[in-house]
Amino acid sequence: MVQKIINPNFNIKTFNIKCENKLSPLAKTIIKSFKFKLYYYVVDDLLYLLKSNPTELNYLLQILHSTVIFLQNNLYVNFFDIYVYDISINEVSKFNRLVNHQSDYFKVSNDITIKLAYQVKPITKKLETIW
């Protein structure tokens, strides 16, 4: 059993993403395995496990990279200090009875909630040598 350790040195930022693209069952399984993994391991897993579906791979990488870039640009977080604390997928079905085609009655979208844990280390002041 994995225990959630609350460390005062770590912060958690939640991102909610609405995906209009339909995710494959393989992608959903891979995404669910990201919990408590360092971010660069998550990227490694995606690159290796979804190489057979480059469109879905690129789509998921864009989502993940945008969350990490947000942390880097706004909170000055180091890439190596980020891990996926929690991730969940919620499938949302919308019924549209005004559509003519039988297959378009239900539109499925996925809402992905990503909680990234990160550590902000204080910037060390460079010591100047006196010569």
Side-chain angles (χ1 to χ4, degrees):
M1 173 186 258
V2 177
Q3 292 182 346
K4 293 182 181 179
I5 300 171
I6 299 174
N7 187 334
N9 296 329
F10 283 90
N11 300 306
I12 295 175
K13 180 72 177 165
T14 303
F15 299 91
N16 295 308
I17 298 103
K18 183 174 182 168
C19 301
E20 294 297 329
N21 294 4
K22 186 175 179 180
L23 296 175
S24 68
L26 175 63
K28 289 179 184 179
T29 304
I30 293 168
I31 289 170
K32 290 176 186 177
S33 74
F34 292 162
K35 197 180 279 192
F36 301 117
K37 279 191 180 178
L38 286 165
Y39 177 73
Y40 54 89
Y41 288 144
V42 167
V43 172
D44 244 9
D45 286 354
L46 269 178
L47 290 172
Y48 179 74
L49 297 171
L50 272 180
K51 63 184 170 187
S52 63
N53 189 346
T55 305
E56 196 166 43
L57 169 67
N58 289 332
Y59 182 69
L60 292 174
L61 282 175
Q62 286 175 357
I63 290 171
L64 289 170
H65 286 332
S66 65
T67 59
V68 169
I69 289 170
F70 175 87
L71 292 178
Q72 289 177 323
N73 288 344
N74 295 315
L75 303 172
Y76 308 107
V77 178
N78 187 341
F79 174 81
F80 296 105
D81 295 328
I82 300 171
Y83 73 94
V84 177
Y85 183 73
D86 191 20
I87 190 163
S88 61
I89 302 171
N90 184 22
E91 198 168 273
V92 179
S93 299
K94 293 183 181 178
F95 178 72
N96 187 352
R97 61 190 169 125
L98 300 175
V99 178
N100 293 334
H101 302 288
Q102 184 72 19
S103 63
D104 292 335
Y105 281 145
F106 289 99
K107 182 171 175 108
V108 177
S109 66
N110 295 294
D111 293 338
I112 300 176
T113 302
I114 303 171
K115 291 183 180 182
L116 295 180
Y118 59 94
Q119 185 176 17
V120 179
K121 294 180 182 175
I123 299 172
T124 57
K125 186 177 180 182
K126 187 177 178 180
L127 297 174
E128 295 182 27
T129 56
I130 303 172
W131 292 87

Short mmCIF file of all heavy atoms in Angstrom, two decimals, residues 79-126:
data_model
loop_
_atom_site.label_atom_id
_atom_site.label_comp_id
_atom_site.label_asym_id
_atom_site.label_seq_id
_atom_site.Cartn_x
_atom_site.Cartn_y
_atom_site.Cartn_z
N PHE A 79 12.47 21.38 -13.25
CA PHE A 79 11.89 20.23 -13.94
C PHE A 79 12.04 18.94 -13.13
O PHE A 79 11.15 18.11 -13.09
CB PHE A 79 12.58 20.10 -15.30
CG PHE A 79 12.21 18.90 -16.09
CD1 PHE A 79 11.04 18.86 -16.83
CD2 PHE A 79 13.04 17.79 -16.12
CE1 PHE A 79 10.70 17.74 -17.57
CE2 PHE A 79 12.71 16.67 -16.86
CZ PHE A 79 11.53 16.65 -17.59
N PHE A 80 13.16 18.78 -12.45
CA PHE A 80 13.45 17.55 -11.71
C PHE A 80 12.79 17.51 -10.34
O PHE A 80 12.89 16.51 -9.63
CB PHE A 80 14.95 17.35 -11.57
CG PHE A 80 15.62 17.15 -12.91
CD1 PHE A 80 16.37 18.17 -13.48
CD2 PHE A 80 15.49 15.95 -13.60
CE1 PHE A 80 16.96 17.99 -14.71
CE2 PHE A 80 16.08 15.78 -14.83
CZ PHE A 80 16.82 16.79 -15.39
N ASP A 81 12.11 18.58 -9.95
CA ASP A 81 11.44 18.65 -8.65
C ASP A 81 9.92 18.52 -8.79
O ASP A 81 9.18 18.94 -7.91
CB ASP A 81 11.77 19.96 -7.95
CG ASP A 81 13.23 20.06 -7.59
OD1 ASP A 81 13.84 19.02 -7.31
OD2 ASP A 81 13.76 21.18 -7.59
N ILE A 82 9.45 17.95 -9.89
CA ILE A 82 8.01 17.82 -10.14
C ILE A 82 7.66 16.34 -10.25
O ILE A 82 8.34 15.58 -10.93
CB ILE A 82 7.62 18.53 -11.45
CG1 ILE A 82 7.95 20.02 -11.38
CG2 ILE A 82 6.14 18.33 -11.75
CD1 ILE A 82 7.79 20.74 -12.70
N TYR A 83 6.60 15.95 -9.57
CA TYR A 83 6.07 14.61 -9.78
C TYR A 83 4.55 14.65 -9.79
O TYR A 83 3.94 15.58 -9.30
CB TYR A 83 6.63 13.61 -8.77
CG TYR A 83 6.11 13.72 -7.36
CD1 TYR A 83 5.03 12.96 -6.93
CD2 TYR A 83 6.72 14.56 -6.43
CE1 TYR A 83 4.56 13.04 -5.65
CE2 TYR A 83 6.25 14.64 -5.14
CZ TYR A 83 5.18 13.89 -4.75
OH TYR A 83 4.71 13.98 -3.47
N VAL A 84 3.96 13.63 -10.38
CA VAL A 84 2.50 13.53 -10.47
C VAL A 84 2.01 12.98 -9.14
O VAL A 84 2.27 11.83 -8.81
CB VAL A 84 2.07 12.63 -11.65
CG1 VAL A 84 0.55 12.49 -11.66
CG2 VAL A 84 2.57 13.19 -12.96
N TYR A 85 1.34 13.81 -8.39
CA TYR A 85 0.82 13.41 -7.09
C TYR A 85 -0.45 12.58 -7.25
O TYR A 85 -0.64 11.58 -6.58
CB TYR A 85 0.55 14.66 -6.25
CG TYR A 85 0.06 14.39 -4.86
CD1 TYR A 85 0.93 13.89 -3.90
CD2 TYR A 85 -1.25 14.62 -4.51
CE1 TYR A 85 0.49 13.63 -2.62
CE2 TYR A 85 -1.70 14.37 -3.23
CZ TYR A 85 -0.83 13.87 -2.29
OH TYR A 85 -1.27 13.62 -1.03
N ASP A 86 -1.32 13.01 -8.16
CA ASP A 86 -2.56 12.29 -8.41
C ASP A 86 -3.03 12.64 -9.81
O ASP A 86 -2.78 13.74 -10.31
CB ASP A 86 -3.63 12.70 -7.38
CG ASP A 86 -4.85 11.81 -7.42
OD1 ASP A 86 -4.76 10.68 -7.93
OD2 ASP A 86 -5.91 12.25 -6.94
N ILE A 87 -3.70 11.69 -10.44
CA ILE A 87 -4.25 11.92 -11.78
C ILE A 87 -5.51 11.08 -11.91
O ILE A 87 -5.54 9.93 -11.46
CB ILE A 87 -3.22 11.60 -12.89
CG1 ILE A 87 -3.72 12.08 -14.25
CG2 ILE A 87 -2.84 10.16 -12.90
CD1 ILE A 87 -2.63 12.17 -15.31
N SER A 88 -6.55 11.68 -12.47
CA SER A 88 -7.79 10.93 -12.65
C SER A 88 -8.46 11.36 -13.96
O SER A 88 -8.28 12.47 -14.45
CB SER A 88 -8.74 11.16 -11.48
OG SER A 88 -9.08 12.52 -11.38
N ILE A 89 -9.22 10.42 -14.51
CA ILE A 89 -9.95 10.66 -15.76
C ILE A 89 -11.43 10.48 -15.48
O ILE A 89 -11.83 9.46 -14.93
CB ILE A 89 -9.51 9.68 -16.86
CG1 ILE A 89 -8.02 9.79 -17.12
CG2 ILE A 89 -10.30 9.94 -18.14
CD1 ILE A 89 -7.49 8.70 -18.02
N ASN A 90 -12.20 11.47 -15.85
CA ASN A 90 -13.65 11.39 -15.70
C ASN A 90 -14.26 11.47 -17.09
O ASN A 90 -14.10 12.48 -17.78
CB ASN A 90 -14.16 12.53 -14.81
CG ASN A 90 -15.63 12.43 -14.53
OD1 ASN A 90 -16.21 11.36 -14.63
ND2 ASN A 90 -16.23 13.54 -14.18
N GLU A 91 -14.93 10.41 -17.49
CA GLU A 91 -15.56 10.38 -18.82
C GLU A 91 -16.94 11.02 -18.73
O GLU A 91 -17.76 10.63 -17.92
CB GLU A 91 -15.66 8.94 -19.32
CG GLU A 91 -15.89 8.85 -20.79
CD GLU A 91 -15.71 7.44 -21.30
OE1 GLU A 91 -14.57 7.08 -21.61
OE2 GLU A 91 -16.71 6.72 -21.36
N VAL A 92 -17.19 12.00 -19.59
CA VAL A 92 -18.45 12.73 -19.59
C VAL A 92 -19.16 12.47 -20.91
O VAL A 92 -18.59 12.66 -21.98
CB VAL A 92 -18.20 14.25 -19.43
CG1 VAL A 92 -19.50 15.02 -19.44
CG2 VAL A 92 -17.41 14.53 -18.16
N SER A 93 -20.41 12.01 -20.82
CA SER A 93 -21.22 11.77 -22.02
C SER A 93 -22.30 12.83 -22.11
O SER A 93 -22.96 13.13 -21.13
CB SER A 93 -21.88 10.40 -21.96
OG SER A 93 -20.93 9.39 -21.90
N LYS A 94 -22.44 13.39 -23.29
CA LYS A 94 -23.49 14.38 -23.52
C LYS A 94 -24.44 13.86 -24.58
O LYS A 94 -24.01 13.39 -25.63
CB LYS A 94 -22.88 15.71 -23.96
CG LYS A 94 -22.07 16.38 -22.89
CD LYS A 94 -21.57 17.72 -23.34
CE LYS A 94 -20.74 18.34 -22.24
NZ LYS A 94 -20.18 19.61 -22.64
N PHE A 95 -25.72 13.95 -24.30
CA PHE A 95 -26.75 13.47 -25.22
C PHE A 95 -27.26 14.64 -26.04
O PHE A 95 -27.56 15.70 -25.52
CB PHE A 95 -27.90 12.86 -24.41
CG PHE A 95 -29.03 12.39 -25.26
CD1 PHE A 95 -28.90 11.26 -26.06
CD2 PHE A 95 -30.23 13.07 -25.28
CE1 PHE A 95 -29.95 10.81 -26.84
CE2 PHE A 95 -31.28 12.64 -26.07
CZ PHE A 95 -31.14 11.51 -26.84
N ASN A 96 -27.33 14.44 -27.37
CA ASN A 96 -27.83 15.46 -28.26
C ASN A 96 -28.88 14.82 -29.17
O ASN A 96 -28.55 14.10 -30.10
CB ASN A 96 -26.70 16.07 -29.09
CG ASN A 96 -27.16 17.26 -29.90
OD1 ASN A 96 -28.35 17.55 -29.97
ND2 ASN A 96 -26.21 17.93 -30.52
N ARG A 97 -30.13 15.08 -28.90
CA ARG A 97 -31.21 14.45 -29.68
C ARG A 97 -31.50 15.17 -30.98
O ARG A 97 -32.29 14.72 -31.79
CB ARG A 97 -32.47 14.33 -28.84
CG ARG A 97 -33.01 15.64 -28.39
CD ARG A 97 -34.11 15.45 -27.38
NE ARG A 97 -34.38 16.74 -26.80
CZ ARG A 97 -35.55 17.30 -26.76
NH1 ARG A 97 -36.60 16.66 -27.23
NH2 ARG A 97 -35.72 18.47 -26.22
N LEU A 98 -30.85 16.31 -31.23
CA LEU A 98 -31.09 17.07 -32.45
C LEU A 98 -30.20 16.64 -33.61
O LEU A 98 -30.35 17.13 -34.71
CB LEU A 98 -30.90 18.56 -32.18
CG LEU A 98 -31.82 19.16 -31.10
CD1 LEU A 98 -31.45 20.60 -30.85
CD2 LEU A 98 -33.28 19.04 -31.51
N VAL A 99 -29.31 15.72 -33.35
CA VAL A 99 -28.38 15.24 -34.38
C VAL A 99 -29.05 14.14 -35.19
O VAL A 99 -29.77 13.30 -34.66
CB VAL A 99 -27.09 14.71 -33.72
CG1 VAL A 99 -26.15 14.17 -34.76
CG2 VAL A 99 -26.42 15.83 -32.93
N ASN A 100 -28.82 14.16 -36.50
CA ASN A 100 -29.47 13.21 -37.40
C ASN A 100 -28.85 11.81 -37.35
O ASN A 100 -29.52 10.82 -37.55
CB ASN A 100 -29.43 13.72 -38.83
CG ASN A 100 -30.28 14.95 -39.01
OD1 ASN A 100 -31.25 15.15 -38.28
ND2 ASN A 100 -29.94 15.77 -39.98
N HIS A 101 -27.54 11.74 -37.15
CA HIS A 101 -26.85 10.45 -37.19
C HIS A 101 -26.95 9.74 -35.85
O HIS A 101 -26.76 10.34 -34.80
CB HIS A 101 -25.37 10.64 -37.56
CG HIS A 101 -25.19 11.31 -38.88
ND1 HIS A 101 -25.46 10.68 -40.07
CD2 HIS A 101 -24.78 12.56 -39.19
CE1 HIS A 101 -25.21 11.52 -41.06
NE2 HIS A 101 -24.80 12.67 -40.55
N GLN A 102 -27.24 8.44 -35.91
CA GLN A 102 -27.38 7.63 -34.69
C GLN A 102 -26.09 7.65 -33.87
O GLN A 102 -26.13 7.69 -32.66
CB GLN A 102 -27.74 6.20 -35.08
CG GLN A 102 -28.00 5.28 -33.91
CD GLN A 102 -29.30 5.58 -33.21
OE1 GLN A 102 -30.18 6.22 -33.75
NE2 GLN A 102 -29.42 5.12 -31.98
N SER A 103 -24.94 7.61 -34.54
CA SER A 103 -23.66 7.54 -33.83
C SER A 103 -23.31 8.86 -33.13
O SER A 103 -22.45 8.88 -32.26
CB SER A 103 -22.55 7.16 -34.80
OG SER A 103 -22.42 8.16 -35.78
N ASP A 104 -23.96 9.96 -33.50
CA ASP A 104 -23.64 11.25 -32.91
C ASP A 104 -24.58 11.64 -31.78
O ASP A 104 -24.52 12.76 -31.29
CB ASP A 104 -23.67 12.35 -33.99
CG ASP A 104 -22.55 12.19 -35.00
OD1 ASP A 104 -21.53 11.58 -34.64
OD2 ASP A 104 -22.70 12.66 -36.13
N TYR A 105 -25.46 10.74 -31.35
CA TYR A 105 -26.37 11.05 -30.25
C TYR A 105 -25.61 11.32 -28.96
O TYR A 105 -25.97 12.18 -28.18
CB TYR A 105 -27.37 9.92 -30.02
CG TYR A 105 -28.53 9.92 -30.99
CD1 TYR A 105 -29.07 8.71 -31.41
CD2 TYR A 105 -29.07 11.09 -31.47
CE1 TYR A 105 -30.14 8.68 -32.30
CE2 TYR A 105 -30.12 11.08 -32.36
CZ TYR A 105 -30.65 9.88 -32.77
OH TYR A 105 -31.70 9.88 -33.64
N PHE A 106 -24.57 10.55 -28.73
CA PHE A 106 -23.77 10.72 -27.52
C PHE A 106 -22.39 11.23 -27.90
O PHE A 106 -21.72 10.65 -28.73
CB PHE A 106 -23.62 9.39 -26.77
CG PHE A 106 -24.88 8.93 -26.13
CD1 PHE A 106 -25.67 7.97 -26.75
CD2 PHE A 106 -25.28 9.45 -24.92
CE1 PHE A 106 -26.84 7.53 -26.16
CE2 PHE A 106 -26.46 9.01 -24.32
CZ PHE A 106 -27.24 8.06 -24.95
N LYS A 107 -22.01 12.30 -27.27
CA LYS A 107 -20.66 12.82 -27.47
C LYS A 107 -19.89 12.60 -26.17
O LYS A 107 -20.34 12.99 -25.10
CB LYS A 107 -20.69 14.30 -27.82
CG LYS A 107 -19.32 14.86 -28.09
CD LYS A 107 -19.41 16.25 -28.65
CE LYS A 107 -18.01 16.80 -28.78
NZ LYS A 107 -17.57 16.90 -30.11
N VAL A 108 -18.77 11.94 -26.27
CA VAL A 108 -17.99 11.60 -25.09
C VAL A 108 -16.76 12.49 -25.04
O VAL A 108 -16.05 12.67 -26.03
CB VAL A 108 -17.56 10.11 -25.12
CG1 VAL A 108 -16.68 9.78 -23.94
CG2 VAL A 108 -18.77 9.21 -25.18
N SER A 109 -16.52 13.09 -23.87
CA SER A 109 -15.29 13.83 -23.66
C SER A 109 -14.69 13.35 -22.34
O SER A 109 -15.36 12.73 -21.52
CB SER A 109 -15.54 15.34 -23.63
OG SER A 109 -16.32 15.68 -22.51
N ASN A 110 -13.44 13.61 -22.17
CA ASN A 110 -12.74 13.19 -20.96
C ASN A 110 -12.24 14.43 -20.22
O ASN A 110 -11.64 15.31 -20.82
CB ASN A 110 -11.54 12.30 -21.30
CG ASN A 110 -11.97 11.00 -21.92
OD1 ASN A 110 -12.60 10.19 -21.28
ND2 ASN A 110 -11.64 10.80 -23.19
N ASP A 111 -12.51 14.45 -18.93
CA ASP A 111 -11.95 15.49 -18.08
C ASP A 111 -10.81 14.86 -17.29
O ASP A 111 -11.01 13.88 -16.57
CB ASP A 111 -13.00 16.04 -17.12
CG ASP A 111 -14.10 16.80 -17.84
OD1 ASP A 111 -13.87 17.25 -18.98
OD2 ASP A 111 -15.19 16.95 -17.27
N ILE A 112 -9.62 15.41 -17.46
CA ILE A 112 -8.45 14.89 -16.75
C ILE A 112 -8.09 15.89 -15.65
O ILE A 112 -7.94 17.08 -15.91
CB ILE A 112 -7.26 14.70 -17.70
CG1 ILE A 112 -7.62 13.71 -18.81
CG2 ILE A 112 -6.04 14.22 -16.94
CD1 ILE A 112 -6.53 13.53 -19.84
N THR A 113 -7.94 15.38 -14.44
CA THR A 113 -7.50 16.19 -13.32
C THR A 113 -6.11 15.72 -12.94
O THR A 113 -5.90 14.55 -12.62
CB THR A 113 -8.45 16.05 -12.12
OG1 THR A 113 -9.76 16.42 -12.53
CG2 THR A 113 -8.01 16.93 -10.97
N ILE A 114 -5.16 16.65 -13.01
CA ILE A 114 -3.77 16.34 -12.70
C ILE A 114 -3.35 17.17 -11.50
O ILE A 114 -3.50 18.40 -11.50
CB ILE A 114 -2.84 16.67 -13.88
CG1 ILE A 114 -3.26 15.93 -15.14
CG2 ILE A 114 -1.39 16.36 -13.53
CD1 ILE A 114 -2.52 16.38 -16.39
N LYS A 115 -2.83 16.50 -10.49
CA LYS A 115 -2.27 17.20 -9.33
C LYS A 115 -0.77 16.97 -9.36
O LYS A 115 -0.30 15.83 -9.26
CB LYS A 115 -2.86 16.66 -8.02
CG LYS A 115 -4.31 17.01 -7.83
CD LYS A 115 -4.80 16.53 -6.50
CE LYS A 115 -6.27 16.89 -6.34
NZ LYS A 115 -6.79 16.48 -5.03
N LEU A 116 -0.04 18.06 -9.56
CA LEU A 116 1.41 17.97 -9.59
C LEU A 116 1.97 18.46 -8.26
O LEU A 116 1.57 19.52 -7.76
CB LEU A 116 1.97 18.83 -10.72
CG LEU A 116 1.61 18.40 -12.14
CD1 LEU A 116 2.23 19.35 -13.15
CD2 LEU A 116 2.09 16.98 -12.41
N ALA A 117 2.86 17.68 -7.70
CA ALA A 117 3.57 18.09 -6.49
C ALA A 117 4.92 18.63 -6.93
O ALA A 117 5.55 18.10 -7.83
CB ALA A 117 3.73 16.91 -5.55
N TYR A 118 5.32 19.70 -6.28
CA TYR A 118 6.58 20.32 -6.66
C TYR A 118 7.25 20.91 -5.43
O TYR A 118 6.61 21.19 -4.42
CB TYR A 118 6.37 21.41 -7.72
CG TYR A 118 5.44 22.52 -7.28
CD1 TYR A 118 5.95 23.68 -6.71
CD2 TYR A 118 4.06 22.41 -7.43
CE1 TYR A 118 5.09 24.70 -6.29
CE2 TYR A 118 3.22 23.41 -7.03
CZ TYR A 118 3.74 24.55 -6.46
OH TYR A 118 2.90 25.55 -6.04
N GLN A 119 8.53 21.08 -5.56
CA GLN A 119 9.31 21.65 -4.49
C GLN A 119 10.02 22.88 -5.03
O GLN A 119 10.67 22.82 -6.07
CB GLN A 119 10.33 20.62 -3.99
CG GLN A 119 11.12 21.07 -2.80
CD GLN A 119 12.03 19.97 -2.30
OE1 GLN A 119 12.30 19.01 -3.01
NE2 GLN A 119 12.52 20.11 -1.10
N VAL A 120 9.86 23.97 -4.32
CA VAL A 120 10.55 25.20 -4.71
C VAL A 120 11.75 25.33 -3.79
O VAL A 120 11.60 25.48 -2.58
CB VAL A 120 9.63 26.43 -4.58
CG1 VAL A 120 10.38 27.68 -4.96
CG2 VAL A 120 8.40 26.26 -5.45
N LYS A 121 12.91 25.25 -4.38
CA LYS A 121 14.14 25.39 -3.60
C LYS A 121 14.58 26.84 -3.63
O LYS A 121 14.48 27.50 -4.67
CB LYS A 121 15.23 24.49 -4.19
CG LYS A 121 14.92 23.02 -4.07
CD LYS A 121 16.01 22.17 -4.67
CE LYS A 121 15.65 20.71 -4.58
NZ LYS A 121 16.63 19.88 -5.25
N PRO A 122 15.09 27.32 -2.53
CA PRO A 122 15.56 28.70 -2.53
C PRO A 122 16.75 28.86 -3.47
O PRO A 122 17.58 27.96 -3.60
CB PRO A 122 15.97 28.96 -1.09
CG PRO A 122 16.12 27.62 -0.46
CD PRO A 122 15.27 26.67 -1.25
N ILE A 123 16.79 29.97 -4.14
CA ILE A 123 17.88 30.26 -5.06
C ILE A 123 19.10 30.65 -4.24
O ILE A 123 19.05 31.55 -3.40
CB ILE A 123 17.50 31.39 -6.03
CG1 ILE A 123 16.29 30.97 -6.85
CG2 ILE A 123 18.68 31.74 -6.93
CD1 ILE A 123 15.72 32.07 -7.71
N THR A 124 20.17 29.93 -4.48
CA THR A 124 21.39 30.22 -3.73
C THR A 124 22.10 31.40 -4.36
O THR A 124 22.18 31.53 -5.58
CB THR A 124 22.34 29.01 -3.72
OG1 THR A 124 22.63 28.64 -5.06
CG2 THR A 124 21.70 27.83 -2.99
N LYS A 125 22.58 32.26 -3.50
CA LYS A 125 23.30 33.44 -3.97
C LYS A 125 24.72 33.04 -4.32
O LYS A 125 25.40 32.36 -3.55
CB LYS A 125 23.29 34.52 -2.90
CG LYS A 125 23.87 35.81 -3.35
CD LYS A 125 23.77 36.86 -2.28
CE LYS A 125 24.37 38.15 -2.77
NZ LYS A 125 24.33 39.18 -1.74
N LYS A 126 25.15 33.44 -5.48
CA LYS A 126 26.49 33.11 -5.94
C LYS A 126 27.49 33.94 -5.15
O LYS A 126 27.37 35.16 -5.03
CB LYS A 126 26.61 33.42 -7.44
CG LYS A 126 27.90 32.96 -8.03
CD LYS A 126 27.93 33.22 -9.52
CE LYS A 126 29.25 32.79 -10.10
NZ LYS A 126 29.31 33.04 -11.53
#
